[in-house]
Amino acid sequence: MLTEREVLSTIEMVKNEHLDVRTVTLGINLFDCASDDVHRFQDAIYERITGLAADLVKVCDEFGDIYGIPIVNKRIAISPIGVVGAPFAAPQMVSIARTLDQAAKEVNIDFIGGFGCLVQKGMASGDMALIESIPEALTVTERICASVNVATTRAGINMDAVAKMGHIIKRAADMTADRDGLACAKLCVFANIPEDVPFMAGAYLGVGEPSSVINVGVSGPGVVKKAIDRVLASNPDASLGEISEVIKQTAYKVTRAGQLIGKNVADRLGVQFGIVDLSLAPTPNVGDSVGEIFQAIGLRNIGVPGSTAILAMLNDAVKKGGAFASSRVGGLSGAFIPVTEDLNIAGAASCGDLCLEKLEAMTAVCSVGLDMVALPGDTPAETLSAIIADEMAIGMINKKTTATRIIPVPGKKAGEMARFGGLLGEAEIMPVRSPGASKVFVRRGGLIPAPLQSMIN
């Protein structure tokens, strides 16, 4: 139960430190819309989404005004279309994507996630159709986000799916070449995807979730950075243990704010409240950067030696503070390091302090993985697949979620700028070492077996 003092303390933090609720995501189950007639299916999902989400934006805005906490994004996550739309072929999947896009526009939400499937052990016909449709679906729509889970710790890595996704990413980039491959910015490849993520592009409603649910994503890199600045101003010799404690206390307050907003929105909409995902997700704005936290603690830039250690400490402190504040913490809850979406991280990549290999190493301890990384347009599909496989292996072995959202920018080379606009930001294209050197490995396909869990080192 929230106390009045906690609420007032949090509101003070909001007023002075620009805390916001990054996203409120309404999860909608579409399983009872299933049909073997695509038109009937499209009509059913359109009615379901526009009916349940009709007041989502209005209610979020009302509570944002009441508490003075802006809710930046309002989104929807649906059951995986690869499952509920299993009878349909690729062209029909594109038609379904158009319907979802229309529904999203009708209720005025930012993105709708769930145009995806889970293929960690194999691909059924519906999964294949959906994967084939992804490039066109993301090209002809504006608000659709897609995700494909290709690996889990229990199942291993489906290398056939990984190989396929390299070509899908290349095709999606080519079809949106006039927008620097924008379609790829709405596509994530996952290992161990959670079922309750409110953040795009990975949001979807898992089969174990309620029929409708509100999940909240609270960010706050700017709040954490200012809290660190304050403690260092009063004690310049503060140890990392003391800084970790400050991050933990800040995460506690942020989580409380998210739960307060989420429960109120859920009650007003008459749906179940799900989880608070406390992730430090940056924006391309100055003062709201994960990279700036690294500088505040003492590094020249994110990416230089010491970065992985700081990221591990940051992630752990955020989770500890969130877990103390709420029994409903879920999703990813940690720190995102999306290159194009974080002005400071993009700057570190431009000056050479952050390279692709260091970024990959850091993903072993962060929330997600290689996120919003722009690569040369001539990077071979097999090399993209090999990059995905490396990231999936980190997730599989470490029993954590990892993902890749990589963008081969058509017609551009390393050192040139890729620009996606808005929250997706911009960044210099990072070089890829040894492109084309992974072709034989990727083409072997098959399944990389699940790891043995009893002999850990």
Side-chain angles (χ1 to χ4, degrees), residues 355-371:
C355 65
L356 188 62
E357 289 75 17
K358 181 62 176 178
L359 198 58
E360 180 185 304
M362 292 170 66
T363 65
V365 298
C366 80
S367 268
V368 185
L370 292 173
D371 197 14

Side-chain angles (χ1 to χ4, degrees), residues 88-364:
F88 308 121
Q92 293 170 312
M93 291 290 189
V94 175
S95 179
I96 292 167
R98 290 182 186 273
T99 299
L100 294 172
D101 199 46
Q102 290 169 359
K105 289 177 182 174
E106 173 65 26
V107 298
N108 196 30
I109 52 102
D110 308 288
F111 285 113
I112 181 167
F115 195 78
C117 56
L118 296 90
V119 296
Q120 58 270 15
K121 291 184 78 173
M123 292 179 278
S125 58
D127 302 323
M128 285 293 293
L130 182 127
I131 290 172
E132 282 293 334
S133 74
I134 285 176
E136 184 176 357
L138 296 184
T139 300
V140 301
T141 61
E142 296 178 3
R143 307 185 191 203
I144 301 292
C145 287
S147 62
V148 179
N149 191 74
V150 299
T152 66
T153 298
R154 287 184 176 275
I157 304 174
N158 182 348
M159 285 300 297
D160 293 325
V162 170
K164 184 78 177 171
M165 290 311 299
H167 291 278
I168 292 295
I169 290 170
K170 285 285 284 187
R171 204 189 317 158
D174 290 340
M175 293 181 76
T176 49
D178 58 333
R179 290 167 280 169
D180 281 350
L182 178 65
C184 299
K186 299 181 286 181
L187 170 60
C188 264
V189 184
F190 272 94
N192 294 322
I193 187 172
E195 298 184 338
D196 54 8
V197 182
F199 289 106
M200 298 296 170
Y204 82 105
L205 188 71
V207 294
E209 294 287 299
S211 60
S212 57
V213 62
I214 286 289
N215 292 327
V216 175
V218 180
S219 187
V223 175
V224 170
K225 196 260 184 183
K226 288 184 179 177
I228 294 171
D229 286 345
R230 277 198 301 275
V231 73
L232 292 178
S234 61
N235 178 16
D237 297 324
S239 70
L240 291 172
E242 291 168 315
I243 292 172
S244 174
E245 189 65 24
V246 169
I247 297 170
K248 195 167 67 177
Q249 292 170 4
T250 306
Y252 168 83
K253 294 179 181 178
V254 170
T255 305
R256 290 298 237 184
Q259 180 156 315
L260 177 69
I261 293 288
K263 283 179 65 66
N264 277 292
V265 171
D267 290 345
R268 179 69 67 81
L269 292 175
V271 304
Q272 187 170 328
F273 174 64
I275 56 96
V276 180
D277 183 320
L278 177 61
S279 289
L280 299 182
T283 69
N285 302 323
V286 175
D288 201 18
S289 162
V290 171
E292 290 174 343
I293 295 173
F294 288 68
Q295 292 177 325
I297 295 176
L299 296 184
R300 181 179 65 194
N301 259 327
I302 184 172
V304 304
S307 298
T308 308
I310 288 182
L311 186 57
M313 182 190 77
L314 180 62
N315 233 29
D316 180 67
V318 166
K319 289 180 179 179
K320 285 174 177 171
F324 185 58
S326 172
S327 59
R328 289 179 173 270
V329 173
L332 299 165
S333 291
F336 290 177
I337 48 173
V339 178
T340 71
E341 295 178 7
D342 187 307
L343 196 62
N344 190 278
I345 297 178
S350 295
C351 74
D353 280 340
L354 180 63
C355 65
L356 188 62
E357 289 75 17
K358 181 62 176 178
L359 198 58
E360 180 185 304
M362 292 170 66
T363 65

